Amino acid sequence: DLGSIEPGKAADLLVLDANPLDNIRNSMAIRYVMKAGRLLEGSTLNEVWPTTRAFPTPYWVREQRALQGLERR
């Protein structure tokens, strides 16, 4: 299941916009993330393949928004 990139095998990988061998800071230029067979946008973590789906709002953001709503009352 692991060790090479072929159809039917599991792979977690990053697609970068620039070569990190040219400059280590290029390792921060993440275009896509492949995790457990799903392709995600690097900047948003929205799923783009096999389905299109927005990354859910993390619980800590939802909690912070709820607290801010209580403080305004």
Side-chain angles (χ1 to χ4, degrees):
D1 290 335
L2 303 173
S4 61
I5 300 174
E6 296 177 30
K9 291 192 175 183
D12 293 343
L13 56 95
L14 299 174
V15 177
L16 303 176
D17 284 328
N19 188 345
L21 298 176
D22 294 338
N23 184 335
I24 191 63
R25 293 176 192 259
N26 291 341
S27 61
M28 300 297 290
I30 300 171
R31 172 65 60 101
Y32 295 110
V33 175
M34 176 68 79
K35 183 174 183 338
R38 295 180 177 197
L39 186 64
L40 312 170
E41 290 178 336
S43 60
T44 63
L45 294 181
N46 292 333
E47 186 175 341
V48 294
W49 191 87
T51 59
T52 302
R53 172 181 0 205
F55 186 75
T57 304
Y59 74 89
W60 61 87
V61 173
R62 290 191 309 268
E63 289 176 0
Q64 183 65 30
R65 289 176 183 166
L67 289 173
Q68 289 173 351
L70 290 175
E71 292 175 356
R72 290 182 185 155
R73 291 182 183 181

